[in-house]
């Protein structure tokens, strides 16, 4: 089989199954007696094992198999769930994730996990085994095969109907057997081996019943042993030899059932003629009812009623590259739409205007659909945090609960790809620096268990993500002292700073109040990297904190980075685009309104002193002649609590534009975040307002 074509699907589905394992393990830790959760984990692990074996990743399949054995023992109540066992299973899932990511990066998925495998084996074998109907070891001969046993050693029980069928089959010279089949411990595809066993049995006789049931055998809900009640004209030795030829079958025990065992305890009327006819027609035809045959005899046989109950899937997997191509094509359409609108305005033809207007509405609908297709729930990022918080809280000997609210909130895939690391940093910061130890919390009159809440919600064209904790909060005096010692602020500046401004000093480059550098929350790097990343996405971060009560880190992000609304402005003959998300309002001011303060031109804007930024100076726009008519056009923009007035020549108007990067040759251009192509074919540069207000 050519596996490369399925590799991408394997990687995606493996990630989904491992995420499901992690989520259910966290649930199991809270409810260790709930075996239904264990069943869910087992099913995910079992599917992953089968996929890995099929794709040829033996190390991945082997580790999953060992973990599956432990889960199966828990599910069958041979092992009780303990914190130590969960730690080993969590560790196994971590290794599996690293293997899958290694495969995704082009590796072979191999990893030294021998110590984890040994611990899993000890867990599986170290607990006393609870006696079960299928937990026994028959004696084997030198060849690994078993001799027949007497009826006293039979493991199955039979109802009166089954006894009658076997009795009347014996009258037709059929022999009744009870067959015990044991698969090898390292068998990876148990259901496939069961199917092969049943296929052989059906060719040579008739299966009366099996234990476990066919449904459980199909789902591999058994250890390595299963049992079959069987009627055939074959000898026990021949049956044994045929079944031992099935790959990964370890032992076969064929026990003949004597007639005194299947003599019914009560009279059950079965039409002997019908049994005789059924046997006479074909020796391989089951001597039981057709309905029972369909339910019991064939493990992979599904009834029509069951198959008809399934509804067709309404989702398909689409390669993300195709969505990117679709988005690029739509962006080209959006540029052409702008061009058509400009031409229609110049020509001013009735039918052309009507057609362009209708096309513009259709394009708007198409734009909404394309953007929606790119939207991904933040759950894909949030899912990794519960396990992370669990591990960190154990490392720090803290008791912490992570509450996730609004995981279904959607963001553009581009934003999702970038937001993961900043959130990891912020959550680690809350767990490490925010939440106190149980002893300190008790002394403060707080519950021993701290809470970190991760919230996501929509507001307008933005998504807000809040990380809130009920920990120690930010120590105002300590932050100020550190900022002054680092030269971030002066002593005089600190006297006029608000609490919010002081809190946000921890976002400054190189700022850290950590007395002990650890691997938990950044090794003293601080949160400036988080701030830079969020601002590069067109977002912002703010902090609200009360000492000994807690802190809230609030992140504001745009829904999409592909198509944005801007205000087009003109400087001399050059056109620039200013994102509407940064604009508060536009204004026309007189020369007399401009004041000077600390060698900076400023204006009084609604009682606030706002510095002016002349874009012609920033971008060095050449002027052919002076254009001083006594008035200035100003765009008031905001970054957090900071305001600035961008001075331009004139306002052109609002427009939705397609954001394009400047490419690899024009990197690190100050105050320019990208470019767009306008309807008239000209290129407009997009102003990075955040860079102008540092």
């Amino acid at each position: 089989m050519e596996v490369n074509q399925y590799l991408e699907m394997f990687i995606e589905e493996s990630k989904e199954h491992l995420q499901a394992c992690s989520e259910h393990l966290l649930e199991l830790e809270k409810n260790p007696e709930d075996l239904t959760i264990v069943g869910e984990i087992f099913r995910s692990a079992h599917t992953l094992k089968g996929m890995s074996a099929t794709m040829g990743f033996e190390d991945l399949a082997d580790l999953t198999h060992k973990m599956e054995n432990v889960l199966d023992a828990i599910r069958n109540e041979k092992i009780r769930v303990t914190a130590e066992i969960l730690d080993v299973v969590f560790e196994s899932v971590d290794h599996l994730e690293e293997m899958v990511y290694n495969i995704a990066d082009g590796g072979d998925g191999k990893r030294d996990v021998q110590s984890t495998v040994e611990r899993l084996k000890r867990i599986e074998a170290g607990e006393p085994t609870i006696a079960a109907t299928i937990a026994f070891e028959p004696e084997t001969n030198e060849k690994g095969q078993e001799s027949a046993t007497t009826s006293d050693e039979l493991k199955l029980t039979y109802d009166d109907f089954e006894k009658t069928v076997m009795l009347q089959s014996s009258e037709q010279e059929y022999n009744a057997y009870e067959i015990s089949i044991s698969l090898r411990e390292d068998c990876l595809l148990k259901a496939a081996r069961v199917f092969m066993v049943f296929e052989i049995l059906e060719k040579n006789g008739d299966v009366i019943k099996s234990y476990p049931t066919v449904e459980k055998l199909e789902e591999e809900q058994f250890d390595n042993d299963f049992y079959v009640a069987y009627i055939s004209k074959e000898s026990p030795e021949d049956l044994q030899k045929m079944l031992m030829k099935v790959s990964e079958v370890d032992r076969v025990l064929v026990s003949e059932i004597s007639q005194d065992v299947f003599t019914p305890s009560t009279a059950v009327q079965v039409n002997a003629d019908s049994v005789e006819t059924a046997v006479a027609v074909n020796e391989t035809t089951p001597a039981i009812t057709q309905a029972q045959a369909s339910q019991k005899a064939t493990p992979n046989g599904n009834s029509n009623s069951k198959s008809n109950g399934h509804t067709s899937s309404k989702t398909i997997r689409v390669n993300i590259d195709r969505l990117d191509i679709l988005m690029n094509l739509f962006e080209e359409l959006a540029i052409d739409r702008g061009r058509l609108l400009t031409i229609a305005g110049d020509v001013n033809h009735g039918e052309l205007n009507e057609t362009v207007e209708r096309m513009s509405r259709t394009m708007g609908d198409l734009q909404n659909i394309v953007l929606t297709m790119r939207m991904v729930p933040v759950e894909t990022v949030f899912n990794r945090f519960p396990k992370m918080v669990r591990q960190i809280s154990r490392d720090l000997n803290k008791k912490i609960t992570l509450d996730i609210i609004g995981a279904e909130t959607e963001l553009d895939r581009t934003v999702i790809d970038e937001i993961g690391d900043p959130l990891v940093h912020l959550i680690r910061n809350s767990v490490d620096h925010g939440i106190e130890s149980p002893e300190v919390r008790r002394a403060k009159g707080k519950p021993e268990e701290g809470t970190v809440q991760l919230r996501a919600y929509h507001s307008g064209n933005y998504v807000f993500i809040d990380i809130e904790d009920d920990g120690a909060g930010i120590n105002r005096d300590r932050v100020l002292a550190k900022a002054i010692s680092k030269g971030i602020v002066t002593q005089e500046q600190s006297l006029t700073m608000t609490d919010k401004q002081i809190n946000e000093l921890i976002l400054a480059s190189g700022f850290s109040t950590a007395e002990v550098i650890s691997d938990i929350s950044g090794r003293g790097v601080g949160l400036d990297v988080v701030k830079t990343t969020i601002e590069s996405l067109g977002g912002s971060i703010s902090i609200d904190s009360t000492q000994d009560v807690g802190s809230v880190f609030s992140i504001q992000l745009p829904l999409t980075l592909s198509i944005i609304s801007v205000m087009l402005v003109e400087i001399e003959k050059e056109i620039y685009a200013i994102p509407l998300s940064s604009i508060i309002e536009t204004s026309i001011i007189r020369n007399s309104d401009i004041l000077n303060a600390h060698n900076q031109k400023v204006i009084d804007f609604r009682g606030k002193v706002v510095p002016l930024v002349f874009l012609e100076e920033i971008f060095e726009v050449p002027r052919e002649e002076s254009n001083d008519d006594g008035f200035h056009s100003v765009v008031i923009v905001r970054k957090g609590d900071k305001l600035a007035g961008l001075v331009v020549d004139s306002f052109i108007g609002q427009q939705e534009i397609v954001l394009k990067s400047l490419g690899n040759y024009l990197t690190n251009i100050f105050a320019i975040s990208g470019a767009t192509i306008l309807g008239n074919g000209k290129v407009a540069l997009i102003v990075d307002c955040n860079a102008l207000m540092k």
Side-chain angles (χ1 to χ4, degrees):
M1 181 181 70
E2 179 59 48
V3 297
N4 288 335
Q5 60 181 317
Y6 301 111
L7 183 60
E8 188 172 337
M9 184 183 299
F10 164 76
I11 292 169
E12 290 303 317
E13 292 191 3
S14 297
K15 290 177 181 179
E16 290 174 5
H17 287 300
L18 288 171
Q19 182 58 48
C21 285
S22 297
E23 292 174 3
H24 287 119
L25 281 170
L26 291 167
E27 291 181 28
L28 184 62
E29 190 171 39
K30 298 175 184 176
N31 306 285
E33 302 299 324
D34 191 345
L35 296 183
T36 58
I37 300 175
V38 181
E40 294 293 335
I41 304 170
F42 180 88
R43 276 189 285 276
S44 294
H46 172 68
T47 305
L48 177 61
K49 178 190 73 175
M51 292 193 308
S52 304
T54 304
M55 296 293 292
F57 300 115
E58 297 298 334
D59 287 11
L60 187 62
D62 184 61
L63 177 57
T64 313
H65 179 62
K66 298 298 187 296
M67 184 180 78
E68 185 186 44
N69 288 344
V70 172
L71 294 169
D72 192 48
I74 295 173
R75 187 178 60 167
N76 291 319
E77 301 185 28
K78 297 178 182 179
I79 300 175
R80 291 182 63 84
V81 176
T82 65
E84 292 74 18
I85 290 176
L86 283 177
D87 284 342
V88 178
V89 179
F90 268 117
E91 182 181 311
S92 303
V93 173
D94 288 340
H95 285 314
L96 292 171
E97 286 179 344
E98 289 167 359
M99 288 176 167
V100 170
Y101 279 102
N102 176 258
I103 293 168
D105 292 337
D108 56 8
K110 293 186 180 297
R111 182 177 174 83
D112 183 10
V113 294
Q114 192 58 39
S115 62
T116 303
V117 169
E118 291 301 323
R119 290 167 70 189
L120 288 170
K121 287 181 178 179
R122 286 197 295 271
I123 291 172
E124 183 186 3
E127 297 289 337
T129 304
I130 299 173
T133 56
I134 62 173
F136 75 103
E137 295 292 335
E139 294 182 359
T140 62
N141 58 27
E142 292 179 357
K143 295 182 180 179
Q145 299 177 353
E146 294 75 17
S147 57
T149 65
T150 66
S151 297
D152 293 338
E153 298 174 6
L154 300 178
K155 302 300 175 182
L156 297 177
T157 58
Y158 305 95
D159 59 29
D160 288 340
F161 180 82
E162 291 161 344
K163 290 178 180 179
T164 302
V165 169
M166 287 189 289
L167 176 62
Q168 296 185 352
S169 297
S170 68
E171 296 172 357
Q172 306 297 320
E173 298 181 356
Y174 277 76
N175 299 316
Y177 300 111
E178 185 173 297
I179 305 176
S180 168
I181 299 104
S182 298
L183 302 178
R184 280 175 21 195
E185 289 288 337
D186 59 350
C187 178
L188 294 177
L189 301 172
K190 293 194 287 187
R193 304 310 171 203
V194 171
F195 176 81
M196 294 170 71
V197 167
F198 271 72
E199 191 173 37
I200 291 173
L201 292 176
E202 288 168 357
K203 288 179 180 178
N204 297 280
D206 173 44
V207 175
I208 301 298
K209 71 180 298 182
S210 67
Y211 184 87
T213 62
V214 169
E215 289 77 11
K216 290 187 177 180
L217 290 174
E218 286 179 352
E219 297 173 3
E220 300 193 4
Q221 295 182 20
F222 65 103
D223 290 330
N224 295 312
D225 304 325
F226 63 97
Y227 305 89
V228 176
Y230 185 65
I231 56 174
S232 174
K233 290 185 177 181
E234 298 288 343
S235 67
E237 292 76 16
D238 289 343
L239 287 173
Q240 194 175 54
K241 290 176 182 178
M242 286 187 284
L243 294 176
M244 284 300 296
K245 289 185 179 294
V246 176
S247 177
E248 296 186 305
V249 169
D250 190 30
R251 294 185 303 277
V252 175
L253 175 63
V254 182
S255 306
E256 190 166 356
I257 307 174
S258 61
Q259 289 195 14
D260 60 335
V261 172
F262 50 70
T263 300
S265 57
T266 59
V268 177
Q269 298 296 326
V270 178
N271 189 331
D273 293 335
S274 64
V275 175
E276 181 178 357
T277 302
V279 176
V281 169
N282 189 333
E283 291 187 355
T284 64
T285 303
I288 54 177
T289 65
Q290 205 169 24
Q292 286 174 314
S294 65
Q295 291 177 3
K296 296 183 177 182
T298 308
N300 282 358
N302 294 321
S303 65
N304 291 335
S305 61
K306 185 175 180 180
S307 63
N308 290 341
H310 292 298
T311 57
S312 59
S313 174
K314 293 186 178 181
T315 61
I316 60 171
R317 290 180 180 274
V318 178
N319 189 308
I320 195 66
D321 292 336
R322 294 185 179 181
L323 286 182
D324 288 340
I325 293 171
L326 177 62
M327 190 66 201
N328 290 333
L329 291 173
F330 175 76
E331 289 171 355
E332 295 300 323
L333 279 176
I335 293 170
D336 290 339
R337 174 182 61 180
R339 176 66 174 152
L340 275 174
L341 288 170
T342 303
I343 293 173
D346 293 341
V347 174
N348 195 22
H349 186 279
E351 290 187 8
L352 177 61
N353 288 337
E354 183 181 341
T355 303
V356 169
E357 184 179 343
R358 187 167 59 252
M359 189 201 73
S360 184
R361 287 197 300 269
T362 304
M363 284 282 292
D365 294 337
L366 180 60
Q367 175 179 322
N368 291 333
I369 292 173
V370 172
L371 293 179
T372 301
M373 289 172 62
R374 291 175 54 87
M375 301 299 264
V376 180
V378 293
E379 179 183 23
T380 57
V381 177
F382 285 9
N383 280 343
R384 75 174 82 165
F385 299 136
K387 188 169 69 171
M388 182 187 80
V389 170
R390 172 191 180 272
Q391 187 59 49
I392 296 175
S393 61
R394 291 171 72 89
D395 293 342
L396 298 175
N397 294 317
K398 294 181 179 181
K399 297 180 180 179
I400 302 173
T401 298
L402 175 66
D403 294 333
I404 295 178
I405 300 172
E408 70 283 354
T409 305
E410 292 184 330
L411 260 174
D412 189 276
R413 184 189 66 85
T414 309
V415 182
I416 288 286
D417 290 344
E418 299 294 333
I419 197 60
D421 288 342
L423 288 178
V424 168
H425 201 121
L426 289 172
I427 291 175
R428 284 176 175 266
N429 187 74
S430 291
V431 171
D432 189 11
H433 298 312
I435 303 294
E436 312 95 330
S437 65
E439 298 78 18
V440 173
R441 292 181 67 85
R442 276 200 307 269
K444 292 181 178 180
K446 294 182 177 181
E448 284 189 4
E449 188 172 57
T451 300
V452 176
Q453 191 175 87
L454 184 59
R455 292 190 302 268
Y457 55 93
H458 280 127
S459 180
N461 290 324
Y462 293 92
V463 167
F464 289 84
I465 300 176
D466 295 343
I467 300 98
E468 181 176 0
D469 65 71
D470 62 349
I474 296 176
N475 188 316
R476 184 180 187 277
D477 297 333
R478 188 174 167 195
V479 168
L480 262 183
K482 192 76 172 181
I484 293 171
S485 68
K486 289 270 189 180
I488 297 172
V489 296
T490 63
Q491 185 72 44
E492 293 75 18
Q493 288 174 324
S494 67
L495 298 176
T496 59
M497 294 182 73
T498 64
D499 288 344
K500 191 174 182 64
Q501 289 172 327
I502 293 172
N503 291 339
E504 293 181 1
L505 286 174
I506 67 174
L507 300 173
S509 178
F511 187 92
S512 176
T513 59
E515 296 176 355
V516 178
I517 292 178
S518 69
D519 290 326
I520 303 299
S521 55
R523 299 192 57 81
V525 172
L527 297 171
D528 61 304
V529 176
V530 174
K531 179 184 178 185
T532 302
T533 302
I534 291 171
E535 289 181 350
S536 71
L537 296 172
S540 62
I541 180 171
S542 61
I543 304 171
D544 188 16
S545 179
T546 304
Q547 192 166 347
D548 292 329
V549 175
S551 304
V552 181
F553 289 77
S554 185
I555 299 172
Q556 177 182 335
L557 294 164
L559 279 175
T560 178
L561 298 180
S562 302
I563 297 178
I564 60 174
S565 297
V566 296
M567 166 71 75
L568 294 178
V569 298
E570 190 174 30
I571 304 171
E572 190 60 15
K573 295 181 180 180
E574 297 182 6
I575 298 175
Y576 293 85
I578 302 174
L580 283 182
S581 57
S582 299
I583 298 176
I584 297 177
E585 67 176 84
T586 58
S587 179
I588 304 294
I589 63 171
R590 298 175 181 272
N591 285 345
S592 58
D593 294 330
I594 300 176
L595 309 173
N596 285 288
H598 304 289
N599 296 321
Q600 169 74 54
K601 292 183 177 181
V602 299
I603 59 171
D604 182 355
F605 176 72
R606 305 189 189 285
K608 291 184 178 181
V609 176
V610 175
L612 293 179
V613 178
F614 290 82
L615 292 186
E616 65 171 305
E617 297 175 2
I618 297 295
F619 299 131
E620 300 178 0
V621 179
R623 284 200 180 275
E624 296 179 359
E625 58 183 34
S626 176
N627 187 27
D628 187 3
D629 58 1
F631 294 89
H632 292 284
S633 300
V634 179
V635 182
I636 307 297
V637 294
R638 176 178 58 193
K639 174 191 175 185
D641 289 337
K642 296 179 181 178
L643 298 177
L646 307 184
V647 181
V648 299
D649 287 355
S650 60
F651 309 127
I652 297 175
Q654 297 182 22
Q655 188 173 319
E656 282 193 340
I657 56 100
V658 176
L659 179 61
K660 298 282 189 181
S661 69
L662 294 177
N664 296 327
Y665 295 104
L666 295 173
T667 57
N668 301 320
I669 303 297
F670 176 69
I672 297 296
S673 60
T676 188
I677 302 174
L678 302 176
N680 57 9
K682 292 184 178 179
V683 174
L685 297 177
I686 301 170
V687 179
D688 182 0
C689 299
N690 292 328
L692 295 172
M693 291 187 283
K694 286 186 176 179

